Amino acid sequence: VPASRIRNFSIVAHIDHGKSTLADQLLRVTQTVSERDMKAQYLDNMDLERERGITIKLQAARMNYNAKDGNTYVLNLIDTPGHVDFSYEVSRSLVACEGALLVVDASQGVEAQTLANIYLALEQDLEIVPVLNKIDLPGAEPDRVKAEVEEAIGLDCSDAVLASAKMGIGIDEILEKIVAIVPPPADNTDRPLRALIFDSYYDAYRGVIVYFRVVDGKVRKGDRVRLMASKKEYDIDELGVLSPTQVPVDELHAGEVGYFAASIKSVEDARVGDTIALASNIPDEPLPGYAEAKPMVFCGLFPTDSEDFENLREALDKLKLNDAALSFEPETSSAMGFGFRCGFLGLLHMEIVQERLEREYDLDLIITAPSVVYRVTLVGGEVIEVDNPSQLPAPQKREQVEEPYIRVDVIAPETYVGAVMELCQSRRGDFKDMRYFTPTRTTIIYELPLAEVVTDFFDQLKSRTRGYASMEYQFIGYRVNELVRLDVMVNGDPVDSLATIVHRDKAYGVGKILVEKLKELIPRQQFKIPVQAAIGSRIIASQQIPALRKDVLAKCYGGDISRKKKLLQKQAKGKKRMKAIGTVDVPQEAFMAVLRLD
Ligand code: GTP
């Protein structure tokens, strides 16, 4: 196919605005997928994604479209993951395109996530095709939403497509617009090969499957390729296109999108953003913009049963094959025993990994509260990174502590501006800006410590705005603050996995509420258990868990045996997610107590 007949595009949309439904329609109308196979939505196919209604991993699809001008075009849809944690992957898949469909729910409006991704697309000079979806809904207000898009993005919407992905309205018009508005890729077939990796996944039989866009030159089956960032070389065993199932081909040239397999052992060796070159003809420069994913959030994972340590290691190794952004190393905790300190791109990434470990690998884990990476300058000038609060050096050993800051953009109806500001203010936020798109939609911009957002910020935002707010964040750098380590002692023993780093001004408040929470969460034992919070050697708050007096079975009046059984079962189940610390059983919830102090 000549480059002039190719169009590469992605779809930018907020969760639930109809991206998958629209993608399905495009595949159906272009007869890429038969009606029979259409039952399952094609683009997001991980169980977890389906269940939570989010798109985590991106995929691609190649369609042949017979346009009204009589020509047949190859349309490559490159999907983007829909969450901030994966914004680097979003940026790479956008770079692989010349255009994007901006899909906005006509009954809702512009959301924070849409804005962030459309700005990424505009930065890459992509042509944008605005689409107002769900016009079949009685509540659809296309004119209001058009005005909103124009105001918020500065994009002319007079020609926006009015569509209903669900009813199949406007699909032909969208396909025509893609051909007309999205530019064809540059025809750089004469240059040395440079292809951009925009996704990869691990396949147990063929090794890593690499999804890429050829930018310059061409690539053939059997070619020896070099990945310029990882500096590794491989022979291409299989080359193909995604229609949307993998179909082998012999050659792909500049402008085309495809996949290859080359017995690569781990996605770490073929990272998103890396440049594929021919080993025999290495170009002077790789494609711009490669960056290694950097974990922002850390937590400890400990098997409730210490026998499971090796199983946990194996499970993490397996997940890592398919997730270059996941990092982990063994951690030994005096209270918890052996486990792993794991790093994630963000909170969603963390939840996904935890859930997969528990579901797919059937592991019972104790997960410690998430922490960010602190930068500590020691006396003498050495700078170290601390991702585990219990490792924060004592005050006399350090000069300063810096913590990561993010810029948060919240979009909310005007009526909730007060609630949003109150929340940001209580999380040590610095107000930056506020803008009104329309009377009903406001952007509020704050700079906040990341540590204050990895707790329950998002849940709080949703509940304080009755679900109407959306948010987006971006790392902006490190700042010095007065931070201290708050230690927790249970029954006189320090529990390293309960330690947290807090701002000095908040330390007393946090300590007081934390010990109260722990008193509620830690079950009574046969003896009294003191629970204390301390900064250094100074106890700042303390509570006492009273001794257990009643026998549990006494409640059953000795009569009903089945009831007795049930009660014992219930207890056994509750025990599963507990960790014996000294002589005290501490439940999973206690490790998360620090996250829910409001
Ligand atoms: P993520 O995969 O979570 O990013 O969501 P998405 O943007 O892909 O949305 P999806 O296509 O899954 O659609 C979300 C919901 O909106 C589903 O219940 C769809 O059936 C519904 N939906 C999509 N398009 C339309 C439409 O044109 N009209 C109506 N009424 N509903 C639609």
Side-chain angles (χ1 to χ4, degrees):
V1 198
S4 61
R5 294 281 165 75
I6 300 174
R7 299 291 184 272
N8 298 318
F9 72 102
S10 63
I11 304 178
V12 171
H14 189 70
I15 291 164
D16 267 0
H17 283 201
K19 183 170 77 168
S20 312
T21 311
L22 177 60
D24 284 353
Q25 287 287 0
L26 297 176
L27 296 182
R28 187 201 303 262
V29 169
T30 56
Q31 296 175 346
T32 310
V33 176
S34 69
E35 290 290 330
R36 192 166 46 90
D37 295 338
M38 214 58 227
K39 266 179 252 122
Q41 285 197 344
Y42 244 90
L43 277 168
D44 36 0
N45 50 18
M46 257 174 79
D47 283 356
L48 254 171
E49 296 182 32
R50 186 81 51 77
E51 253 167 58
R52 294 158 161 253
I54 47 164
T55 315
I56 300 160
K57 287 295 274 184
L58 44 145
Q59 306 264 310
R62 174 177 167 136
M63 301 169 255
N64 289 316
Y65 173 60
N66 302 318
K68 300 228 162 80
D69 67 7
N71 293 316
T72 300
Y73 291 85
V74 168
L75 308 184
N76 288 307
L77 165 58
I78 297 177
D79 195 21
T80 53
H83 193 274
V84 285
D85 282 8
F86 306 100
S87 64
Y88 175 68
E89 297 189 11
V90 177
S91 79
R92 293 307 90 190
S93 38
L94 291 174
V95 174
C97 299
E98 278 77 31
L101 299 180
L102 166 62
V103 176
V104 183
D105 183 335
S107 69
Q108 305 277 325
V110 176
E111 299 291 350
Q113 187 197 346
T114 320
L115 270 189
N117 286 347
I118 212 72
Y119 287 144
L120 278 176
L122 290 169
E123 265 170 43
Q124 310 296 340
D125 288 328
L126 264 53
E127 288 295 332
I128 312 287
V129 179
V131 175
L132 300 184
N133 190 33
K134 306 200 188 183
I135 54 150
D136 60 294
L137 288 179
E141 299 177 88
D143 290 333
R144 172 183 68 80
V145 174
K146 267 189 200 176
E148 212 173 273
V149 173
E150 290 189 340
E151 177 69 24
I153 304 166
L155 186 74
D156 178 10
C157 284
S158 50
D159 249 0
V161 183
L162 301 184
S164 165
K166 193 173 177 181
M167 316 300 279
I169 301 167
I171 310 302
D172 286 324
E173 196 185 339
I174 292 171
L175 288 163
E176 283 296 316
K177 280 256 160 65
I178 292 170
V179 169
I181 295 178
V182 177
D187 186 3
N188 294 332
T189 308
D190 301 338
R191 301 189 187 173
L193 172 69
R194 287 200 300 178
L196 175 73
I197 301 180
F198 63 82
D199 193 15
S200 60
Y201 73 91
Y202 180 76
D203 177 290
Y205 299 101
R206 296 174 294 169
V208 174
I209 307 295
V210 177
Y211 289 3
F212 62 93
R213 148 81 194 264
V214 186
V215 178
D216 298 331
K218 50 179 184 257
V219 59
R220 300 181 61 88
K221 186 182 168 189
D223 276 346
R224 187 166 184 79
V225 291
R226 169 190 279 241
L227 302 179
M228 293 183 74
S230 78
K231 299 193 171 62
K232 299 207 165 148
E233 293 190 2
Y234 301 95
D235 297 314
I236 294 185
D237 305 326
E238 184 182 330
L239 182 76
V241 294
L242 303 144
S243 66
T245 48
Q246 296 171 351
V247 178
V249 299
D250 288 332
E251 182 181 292
L252 290 170
H253 63 76
E256 289 189 293
V257 174
Y259 74 93
F260 77 78
S263 310
I264 301 173
K265 297 257 158 36
S266 156
V267 291
E268 243 187 328
D269 296 328
R271 286 181 186 245
V272 170
D274 203 348
T275 301
I276 306 161
L278 284 182
S280 58
N281 189 6
I282 309 258
D284 300 336
E285 295 280 336
L287 295 164
Y290 175 74
E292 237 164 74
K294 197 171 173 1
M296 300 288 284
V297 180
F298 286 78
C299 75
L301 296 182
F302 295 89
T304 44
D305 181 351
S306 40
E307 303 266 290
D308 270 339
F309 176 76
E310 278 308 321
N311 294 339
L312 176 56
R313 182 203 296 279
E314 268 173 38
L316 285 167
D317 277 334
K318 281 205 186 120
L319 286 183
K320 173 88 188 159
L321 288 178
N322 218 347
D323 185 350
L326 170 66
S327 74
F328 60 92
E329 55 183 56
E331 174 183 359
T332 315
S333 152
S334 54
M336 314 272 284
F338 296 106
F340 292 92
R341 191 82 194 157
C342 302
F344 308 92
L345 293 174
L347 280 184
L348 177 73
H349 186 212
M350 180 172 102
E351 274 177 43
I352 292 166
V353 172
Q354 291 169 355
E355 224 169 294
R356 296 189 64 181
L357 287 171
E358 287 172 357
R359 270 203 218 178
E360 294 168 29
Y361 297 91
D362 203 21
L363 290 161
D364 273 324
L365 301 173
I366 294 285
I367 298 155
T368 66
S371 164
V372 300
V373 183
Y374 296 90
R375 204 187 268 163
V376 183
T377 309
L378 301 176
V379 172
E382 192 197 342
V383 178
I384 59 166
E385 290 196 335
V386 174
D387 61 43
N388 186 342
S390 69
Q391 311 279 312
L392 185 72
Q396 63 274 16
K397 291 193 181 147
R398 61 182 200 237
E399 248 155 36
Q400 62 172 33
V401 184
E402 291 164 275
E403 62 179 327
Y405 264 69
I406 55 176
R407 179 190 131 123
V408 175
D409 291 37
V410 177
I411 294 187
E414 201 182 353
T415 31
Y416 294 112
V417 165
V420 172
M421 292 180 72
E422 202 180 294
L423 172 65
C424 293
Q425 224 63 50
S426 75
R427 300 300 172 90
R428 299 193 280 134
D430 295 324
F431 174 78
K432 284 290 142 188
D433 198 9
M434 179 154 73
R435 281 170 40 208
Y436 292 89
F437 300 141
T438 58
T440 53
R441 270 183 140 65
T442 314
T443 308
I444 306 143
I445 300 170
Y446 264 87
E447 290 177 358
L448 288 149
L450 176 62
E452 298 279 349
V453 177
V454 300
T455 57
D456 61 342
F457 185 86
F458 188 61
D459 294 341
Q460 283 288 330
L461 181 70
K462 284 282 175 198
S463 76
R464 292 180 191 209
T465 61
R466 295 174 196 277
Y468 281 111
S470 63
M471 69 171 261
E472 187 44 59
Y473 68 83
Q474 171 187 0
F475 173 67
I476 52 172
Y478 272 84
R479 289 187 194 166
V480 179
N481 268 322
E482 280 291 314
L483 299 167
V484 296
R485 190 178 82 215
L486 188 65
D487 291 318
V488 173
M489 268 105 62
V490 176
N491 207 18
D493 299 324
V495 180
D496 50 5
S497 300
L498 286 173
T500 55
I501 293 175
V502 290
H503 194 272
R504 185 177 293 281
D505 297 346
K506 280 188 155 186
Y508 280 86
V510 170
K512 189 165 170 292
I513 305 173
L514 183 59
V515 293
E516 279 165 18
K517 281 251 161 170
L518 290 173
K519 179 187 169 190
E520 283 166 33
L521 292 168
I522 298 174
R524 294 180 179 200
Q525 322 265 326
Q526 307 295 345
F527 47 89
K528 274 189 286 189
I529 309 166
V531 179
Q532 298 154 305
I535 299 173
S537 54
R538 200 157 30 98
I539 306 284
I540 60 164
S542 125
Q543 285 285 343
Q544 185 111 231
I545 302 169
L548 190 67
R549 254 172 274 146
K550 274 181 264 165
D551 180 354
V552 210
L553 294 182
K555 270 194 202 148
C556 299
Y557 318 108
D560 184 348
I561 186 74
S562 69
R563 213 174 137 200
K564 236 185 231 178
K565 249 192 209 149
K566 235 186 222 159
L567 200 59
L568 286 170
Q569 267 168 2
K570 215 163 128 197
Q571 276 195 318
K573 215 165 168 203
K575 263 214 182 87
K576 250 171 125 187
R577 305 258 276 164
M578 295 238 196
K579 194 80 187 172
I581 290 179
T583 44
V584 180
D585 285 337
V586 181
Q588 167 66 63
E589 298 75 52
F591 293 95
M592 293 293 161
V594 69
L595 300 187
R596 299 196 177 85
L597 297 179
D598 300 275

